[in-house]
């Protein structure tokens, strides 16, 4: 037994090479770890294969035990790691353009659940299947950070760097669970900020659309398509955003604006329903009456009579 670089190396001499001997060594090491854990201490342990090449075998055993130990520490596994249980670590990682674009789309839309799921898939593919090492994983995570910055845009990226110092944060991690938690926090941060920005942009867009409708309600051509062209957006996108922000469709909002203006004319003028329909942007009086009743629960004529009666009751 000797101490090497803050590690204790134990050389065990045996007359036979068998899996049973290795199992016995691992079991004995597990007992030591449990005893140490009682005192609140954390210790990692690893076991090499058995070699019979005399002194040359010692260096091989040390290299294998060290590799197994680093693997255990990398995964923060507080148990005995056997070199024979390790697979060969890959020197490349898998992170395709398609994966990156999908991740960018999820981040920009503020979709935390799908971002989490895709990130888990990337880690599962590269750690569990490809078995990349800690250094290669850090390179992968730096690529993921680059993706987050691309998705974030200049403003959010600046806030990310200022608030989290992500590169330093990543390289301070010592284990794979720490790295996975680190990049997850970074991506979630960007997701939340993108979601906030999207919400603010959408609210501003909806306010602009409502102002446009209020200013152009008399236009006979006013429609979802007409408004979409004015704002240079697809009608499907604009309709979806508007409905989410306001709880009603663009067409319903147009009808509401027209009906409210019609109510003013019904109260303050003696114009007929046909004249009022034309004045507020309807080409057909029946369409006007139908939408008026849908909004107010009564026809334009009934609305006028009620208002006249109310006015007379106060005279």
């Amino acid at each position: 037994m000797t101490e090497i670089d803050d590690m204790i190396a134990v050389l065990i001499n045996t007359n036979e090479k068998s899996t049973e001997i290795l199992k016995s060594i691992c079991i004995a090491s597990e007992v030591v770890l449990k005893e140490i854990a009682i005192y609140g201490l954390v210790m990692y342990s690893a076991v090499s294969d058995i070699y019979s090449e005399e002194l040359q075998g010692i260096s091989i055993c040390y290299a294998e035990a060290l590799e197994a130990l680093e693997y255990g520490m990398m995964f923060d596994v507080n148990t005995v790691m056997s070199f024979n249980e390790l697979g060969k670590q890959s020197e490349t990682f898998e992170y395709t353009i398609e994966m990156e674009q999908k991740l960018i789309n999820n981040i920009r839309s503020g979709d935390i659940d799908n971002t989490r799921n895709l990130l888990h898939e990337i880690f599962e593919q590269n750690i569990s299947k490809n078995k990349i090492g800690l250094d290669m994983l850090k390179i992968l995570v730096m690529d993921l950070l680059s993706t987050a910055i691309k998705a974030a845009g200049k403003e959010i990226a600046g806030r990310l760097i200022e608030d989290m110092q992500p590169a330093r944060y990543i390289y301070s991690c010592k284990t794979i669970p720490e790295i996975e938690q680190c990049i997850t926090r970074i991506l979630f941060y960007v997701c939340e900020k993108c979601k906030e920005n999207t919400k603010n942009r959408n609210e501003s867009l909806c306010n602009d659309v409502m102002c446009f409708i209020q200013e152009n309600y008399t236009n006979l051509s006013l429609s979802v398509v007409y408004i979409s062209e004015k704002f240079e957006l697809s009608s499907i996108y604009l309709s979806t955003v508007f409905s989410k922000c306001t709880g009603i469709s663009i067409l319903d909002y147009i009808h509401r604006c027209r009906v409210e203006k019609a109510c003013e004319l019904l109260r303050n003028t003696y114009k007929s329903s046909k004249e009022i329909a034309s004045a507020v942007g309807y080409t057909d009086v029946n369409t006007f009456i139908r939408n008026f009743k849908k909004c107010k629960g009564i026809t334009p004529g009934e609305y006028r009579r009620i208002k006249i009666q109310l006015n007379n009751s106060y005279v």
Side-chain angles (χ1 to χ4, degrees):
M1 179 185 295
T2 186
E3 187 174 339
I4 306 173
D5 297 331
D6 296 327
M7 296 181 293
I8 297 173
V10 179
L11 183 63
I12 299 174
N13 189 22
T14 177
N15 292 326
E16 57 179 304
K17 180 178 180 179
S18 70
T19 56
E20 292 303 318
I21 293 291
L22 284 175
K23 284 181 181 179
S24 299
I25 294 171
C26 289
I27 291 170
S29 299
E30 287 282 4
V31 172
V32 173
L33 290 184
K34 288 178 181 178
E35 289 294 323
I36 291 174
I38 294 173
Y39 300 96
L41 300 175
V42 177
M43 183 174 178
Y44 299 92
S45 179
V47 177
S48 71
D49 198 357
I50 298 174
Y51 288 90
S52 58
E53 290 87 350
E54 298 181 351
L55 293 178
Q56 184 183 356
I58 296 175
S59 63
I60 297 172
C61 288
Y62 176 74
E64 288 185 356
L66 188 60
E67 184 176 341
L69 183 66
E70 288 176 347
Y71 189 85
M73 293 174 68
M74 192 167 65
F75 282 95
D76 199 21
V77 177
N78 190 219
T79 186
V80 178
M81 294 297 301
S82 173
F83 178 80
N84 289 341
E85 295 175 357
L86 301 183
K88 185 178 180 181
Q89 292 185 3
S90 174
E91 296 182 357
T92 60
F93 58 80
E94 184 177 341
Y95 183 48
T96 64
I97 294 174
E98 290 76 15
M99 287 178 177
E100 181 179 43
Q101 191 56 55
K102 192 174 179 181
L103 190 58
I104 287 173
N105 293 339
N106 289 338
I107 293 171
R108 283 180 176 167
S109 63
D111 191 339
I112 289 178
D113 288 338
N114 280 327
T115 297
R116 180 193 293 111
N117 293 338
L118 182 55
L119 192 59
H120 178 74
E121 287 176 19
I122 293 169
F123 271 80
E124 185 73 16
Q125 178 65 39
N126 286 287
I127 296 171
S128 301
K129 295 180 181 178
N130 296 350
K131 296 186 181 298
I132 62 173
L134 186 61
D135 291 338
M136 189 58 60
L137 177 62
K138 286 186 177 181
I139 296 172
L140 167 61
V141 170
M142 290 304 291
D143 276 6
L144 291 170
L145 173 60
S146 175
T147 298
I149 290 172
K150 284 181 192 176
K154 188 175 180 180
E155 181 186 346
I156 295 175
R159 289 158 65 186
L160 169 67
I161 292 168
E162 183 178 343
D163 291 348
M164 299 188 74
Q165 296 184 319
R168 182 179 297 179
Y169 183 20
I170 290 167
Y171 276 98
S172 69
C173 298
K174 303 299 182 185
T175 67
I176 285 178
E178 284 180 3
I179 290 179
E180 187 169 3
Q181 184 181 35
C182 167
I183 192 62
T184 299
R185 284 189 61 196
I186 290 169
L187 294 189
F188 281 11
Y189 175 96
V190 178
C191 270
E192 288 291 350
K193 297 303 178 185
C194 286
K195 194 173 183 179
E196 288 174 14
N197 276 12
T198 299
K199 183 181 178 183
N200 293 337
R201 283 198 307 271
N202 288 347
E203 287 177 352
S204 177
L205 173 61
C206 288
N207 287 333
D208 290 343
V209 170
M210 287 189 286
C211 288
F212 182 83
I213 292 171
Q214 290 165 13
E215 292 169 0
N216 295 274
Y217 69 92
T218 59
N219 188 337
L220 300 179
S221 300
L222 192 64
S223 65
V224 176
V225 173
Y226 179 85
I227 296 169
S228 299
E229 289 174 353
K230 290 294 181 181
F231 282 84
E232 298 181 346
L233 296 168
S234 77
S235 56
I236 294 175
Y237 173 79
L238 186 59
S239 296
T240 302
V241 170
F242 192 89
S243 295
K244 284 184 178 179
C245 284
T246 64
I248 62 171
S249 68
I250 292 175
L251 194 57
D252 283 343
Y253 187 78
I254 292 172
H255 290 316
R256 285 190 184 185
C257 284
R258 286 173 170 171
V259 167
E260 289 303 321
K261 297 300 179 181
C263 287
E264 290 181 20
L265 294 173
L266 287 166
R267 291 194 304 269
N268 302 319
T269 72
Y270 293 100
K271 290 182 177 181
S272 66
S273 292
K274 186 175 181 179
E275 290 173 318
I276 292 174
S278 179
V280 297
Y282 288 104
T283 56
D284 178 61
V285 67
N286 291 325
T287 303
F288 164 62
I289 293 171
R290 184 171 61 252
N291 283 300
F292 190 98
K293 189 171 184 179
K294 182 181 177 182
C295 290
K296 296 296 182 181
I298 54 177
T299 65
E302 290 169 336
Y303 178 87
R304 174 174 273 166
R305 282 194 297 274
I306 291 170
K307 291 301 178 182
I308 290 172
Q309 289 171 1
L310 287 173
N311 289 337
N312 290 338
S313 66
Y314 287 106
V315 175

